Structures are given as C-alpha cells and as structure tokens.
Amino acid sequence: GMDVWAACATSDFHGEVDYWPGQFSETWLYVPERNPKGVLLALRAGTFFAAHGHIVRQAAISVEAKGLSRPAEAGEVIEVPAESEVTIRLQMVVPERDWANEPNHIDEVELIAVTSDGARTLAKQRPPSNEPAMQTSFRVATGGVVLRARGRRSGENGSDLLFYTNPIRILSTT
C-alpha cells in the first residue's frame, strides 16, 4: 500500500569520462505547473517516467475501468470490483534519433503486473508504428494489482536501453 516511485534515471556525473546530466539518462515529469512547485507535485504524485538513451518521449500508461470518469494515469490509485475487466494502454513518442544521434526504435514493450504472488509480464510485443504502443485487457483478481510498463531497445552485448513508467495501483473490492 505504500507509494514508491522508482521510474527515475539519474545522472551521476563524475567528470569527463561520464555522461553530462541529461545527456543519456532522463526523468520526464508531467507537471501541473511549470515551476518548482509543479515539479515537487509531480514527483510526489508519481506522474513521471524514466528513459536511458533518449529512446522515448511522452511515455504514458493509462487504465480505463467501468465507473471511472477518465482513465487513471501513472501514480494514481483506483478501486474496482474484483473480477472487473480493465483496459490498459501504453502511449509513447519515439524520436527519430537517440542520444548519440543514431537511428532510433523500440524493439519491445511490456506490461508488468505486481500482485501478492510477485511480478509477471502480462503482455509483451513489438510496438506497432501507430498509437497506442500497446493495448490489452486484464481481469483484476481479488487482492488487486499494480501495473507498469517497460520498453526496450536491444543493444549489442546486452547493452539494452530501457524506459519505465511509474505504476497505477488497482485495488479490488468484493
């Protein structure tokens, strides 16, 4: 039940042999106001995502459920009756070039579910060229679920570039 926002990609700069802040790692905030107060509100709310290598822009996970006035977004908690079906969408913008000005693409997107039984991949696919990058339905069991998304661009020698969204927590009622 504790909100832990972990979709951060920090810049740990140690000199000329390292990446400059923002050159490779990025944490993108969806701020309600473009000022320091808005930044703090976004960090507290979990409305942000992280990426390495500038592989994605505007990554956003959302959940639609019967009875909601609008889709839930990263950082939000919703409640649905147990065994309700929800629709999960991942939308993203993939820039033509990455951090090194090389051609860019995303090889795979995943939807990750975390329950009291552990974490598992609900869906995995190569994103289509149009939006959304992923859309799937899921039946929420008793006990609820935490959903988040991850994207990957495979690199040489296992040096994958990744992005992660923060989660949406779905509580279930009986």
Side-chain angles (χ1 to χ4, degrees):
M2 181 183 292
D3 293 325
V4 177
W5 310 127
C8 293
T10 60
S11 293
D12 190 18
F13 185 69
H14 294 282
E16 293 300 321
V17 296
D18 215 343
Y19 298 114
W20 286 90
Q23 181 183 8
F24 181 76
S25 298
E26 303 172 295
T27 302
W28 288 80
L29 302 162
Y30 292 111
V31 298
E33 308 167 15
R34 292 183 66 121
N35 57 35
K37 179 183 175 187
V39 168
L40 291 174
L41 288 170
L43 289 171
R44 287 183 188 119
T47 56
F48 55 94
F49 71 94
H52 282 138
H54 299 220
I55 61 169
V56 69
R57 300 285 185 264
Q58 300 174 17
I61 187 172
S62 65
V63 172
E64 292 179 17
K66 186 176 181 181
L68 293 181
S69 60
R70 62 166 179 77
E73 299 173 347
E76 294 187 310
V77 178
I78 61 172
E79 193 169 317
V80 300
E83 300 305 318
S84 292
E85 188 170 287
V86 297
T87 300
I88 305 111
R89 283 189 182 83
L90 173 65
Q91 295 181 298
M92 64 185 184
V93 175
V94 179
E96 289 184 26
R97 301 259 175 212
D98 67 7
W99 72 281
N101 203 30
E102 296 292 327
N104 189 32
H105 64 279
I106 300 294
D107 292 312
E108 176 181 86
V109 290
E110 294 176 83
L111 179 62
I112 301 164
V114 182
T115 65
S116 59
D117 296 328
R120 65 184 171 103
T121 300
L122 281 182
K124 183 189 298 190
Q125 69 182 48
R126 182 173 190 89
S129 58
N130 57 349
E131 286 286 337
M134 178 180 280
Q135 179 173 317
T136 190
S137 294
F138 173 74
R139 194 164 299 280
V140 179
T142 302
V145 65
V146 174
L147 299 171
R148 71 183 312 184
R150 168 175 53 203
R152 174 185 322 273
R153 187 179 96 189
S154 300
E156 296 176 13
N157 304 321
S159 60
D160 295 352
L161 298 177
L162 300 167
F163 75 84
Y164 282 88
T165 69
N166 271 322
I168 299 171
R169 186 172 334 126
I170 305 175
L171 306 176
S172 64
T173 59
T174 53

